[in-house]
Amino acid sequence: MASLADLKHELPMGLQNDLGKQMLPGEATIISLPGSFGEAFVVTDRRAIIIRDRGAGLNTVCDIFGYPLAKVTGAAAISSGVGGYIELNLTEPVTEQDSVRVYFPSYESDKFKAAADYLAGTLKPPESDAEAAQSPRVAGISSQFGAGTCSKCGAKIEQGVAFCQQCGAQISAICAGCGGATPFGSAYCCNCGVAMLEFPPQCPTCGKRVRFWMIFCPDCGTYLHPQCMECGTRIQPEWKYCASCGRRIGSDQINPRSTQASMRRLQQLKETRRTSQDEPEAQPVVTPAPAAAPAPAVTSSLTSNSAAEEHNAKGRELFDNDDIEAAISEFEIAVSLDPGNASYHSNLAVAYDELERDDEALVEYNKALSIDPNDLTALLSLGYMYSEKAEFEKAKEVWDRVLEIAPQSAEAQEVRDNLRHQGEL
């Protein structure tokens, strides 16, 4: 049987260099055995490590799988006539067999069996969760915040990072105020100094990873964070006033007319939905029978729709440039050319609303909703108009319709914020 001194060998240069980059300060190598096919088995005083060359051309690129010894329950060396493999036994199952296995030639079987025996003889029984949390072999436990090894994969962790660069596991809390990494359980963020409020990096609907700066989940579209109704700035829970526009958070009154930003944002929300419904469907090319007369009505209708869209687009451009009167003129032409388009009526209503022409705006909102009862922008904007006129019951009735139609939409989240800010109307 091989002695412990026989189990420490030089590794091929590429494997040795990549392993050296993963070693922690003061970490000592006890076993290092080259295997077959550009791979190696390594045991340190803190981890068991599988390292394997990907075979990516001239430049050696290695996959390294490290496991804290607290997560290793043993190892088994399995031999055959032409070789064998050593496989780690862990407290948690793995998805890839090769992440815990190193293959070796038959003439090295004694050394790998001795390595397996060494692990079996030196490892303690699995610790409880409470004991593991205090163990110096568990990832992230160090005198320097964030420095150590990942408790999931054993990779080396640099100081002050939030996620493991090898497996993606979260290893630090994320401050909801500044997005910086802070030790779990901190009372204050170590980056911005405010009272610590954790940012959850998973979407509450689909569970996918989301970033600190995201407003919507890129996978399912869920609205992730409240925004200021005036300027669209992401609101932090501790704010009394919006840091961008100064609007009081949680006030009894919502005044979307004090800035163009709110109305523009309503337009932008609508634009994401209007494109598909406004584009005319491709007309099939039909060769008429000899006796059939031309159908000018179809051409006339398409021409009218095209002209209406041109005026509507011009109106949106003028609205964005704060020329509301001119925008109203363009929207009125669009409505006259295509009176069955709910989007055009909604645009005209928003423009009337901007100039406080409430009676005319109400007529256009109702026309838009008579054509499309599920027009979220019209419902949201109409609720704002009622709210500003202190007709809170009507506002709530309209906004409740948004919650019923699309409870996961950005408009629905805005409605919830409005209702909460106005004391649950």
Side-chain angles (χ1 to χ4, degrees), residues 41-249:
F41 179 73
V42 177
V43 179
T44 74
D45 57 347
R46 306 184 191 186
R47 295 179 289 169
I49 301 172
I50 309 294
I51 181 168
R52 182 172 292 110
D53 184 356
R54 294 182 191 171
L58 297 178
N59 296 322
T60 300
V61 179
C62 297
D63 289 323
I64 299 178
F65 305 94
Y67 305 97
L69 293 180
K71 301 290 185 180
V72 180
T73 60
I78 310 298
S79 298
S80 65
V82 295
Y85 60 86
I86 188 170
E87 182 171 301
L88 293 172
N89 299 319
L90 306 178
T91 58
E92 299 177 0
V94 296
T95 55
E96 296 183 26
Q97 198 74 47
D98 281 348
S99 68
V100 293
R101 181 180 289 184
V102 169
Y103 294 88
F104 56 79
S106 58
Y107 56 83
E108 297 283 16
S109 60
D110 286 347
K111 293 179 181 178
F112 279 88
K113 288 181 178 179
D117 292 341
Y118 170 82
L119 280 176
T122 58
L123 292 174
K124 297 178 181 179
E127 300 169 321
S128 67
D129 291 342
E131 292 171 334
Q134 301 299 320
S135 172
R137 299 180 298 181
V138 177
I141 305 301
S142 172
S143 59
Q144 289 184 314
F145 147 58
T149 57
C150 172
S151 59
K152 182 175 181 181
C153 72
K156 180 180 178 181
I157 300 300
E158 300 297 333
Q159 181 179 353
V161 299
F163 298 94
C164 173
Q165 66 270 27
Q166 178 166 297
C167 70
Q170 185 177 2
I171 57 174
S172 303
I174 302 171
C175 174
C178 69
T182 292
F184 284 115
S186 298
Y188 293 88
C189 174
C190 64
N191 298 282
C192 66
V194 302
M196 184 62 184
L197 182 68
E198 274 193 47
F199 163 75
Q202 290 84 27
C203 170
T205 300
C206 69
K208 295 295 183 65
R209 178 67 54 81
V210 293
R211 305 282 295 279
F212 165 76
W213 50 265
M214 292 177 177
I215 302 298
F216 300 92
C217 173
D219 284 281
C220 70
T222 295
Y223 187 78
L224 299 173
H225 305 288
Q227 296 172 273
C228 174
M229 243 64 72
E230 295 288 358
C231 65
T233 297
R234 176 177 164 180
I235 296 173
Q236 300 301 327
E238 71 276 11
W239 286 2
K240 294 181 179 180
Y241 293 87
C242 174
S244 297
C245 70
R247 176 185 182 273
R248 182 172 177 83
I249 307 300

Side-chain angles (χ1 to χ4, degrees), residues 224-294:
L224 299 173
H225 305 288
Q227 296 172 273
C228 174
M229 243 64 72
E230 295 288 358
C231 65
T233 297
R234 176 177 164 180
I235 296 173
Q236 300 301 327
E238 71 276 11
W239 286 2
K240 294 181 179 180
Y241 293 87
C242 174
S244 297
C245 70
R247 176 185 182 273
R248 182 172 177 83
I249 307 300
S251 62
D252 292 336
Q253 296 181 357
I254 296 175
N255 181 13
R257 291 184 180 132
S258 64
T259 174
Q260 294 287 333
S262 182
M263 286 299 179
R264 287 202 186 101
R265 202 150 55 82
L266 293 177
Q267 290 287 83
Q268 291 167 359
L269 288 171
K270 179 183 62 180
E271 288 305 313
T272 62
R273 293 176 172 81
R274 62 168 294 280
T275 303
S276 59
Q277 76 177 46
D278 284 353
E279 290 179 352
E281 295 183 2
Q283 300 296 315
V285 178
V286 179
T287 302

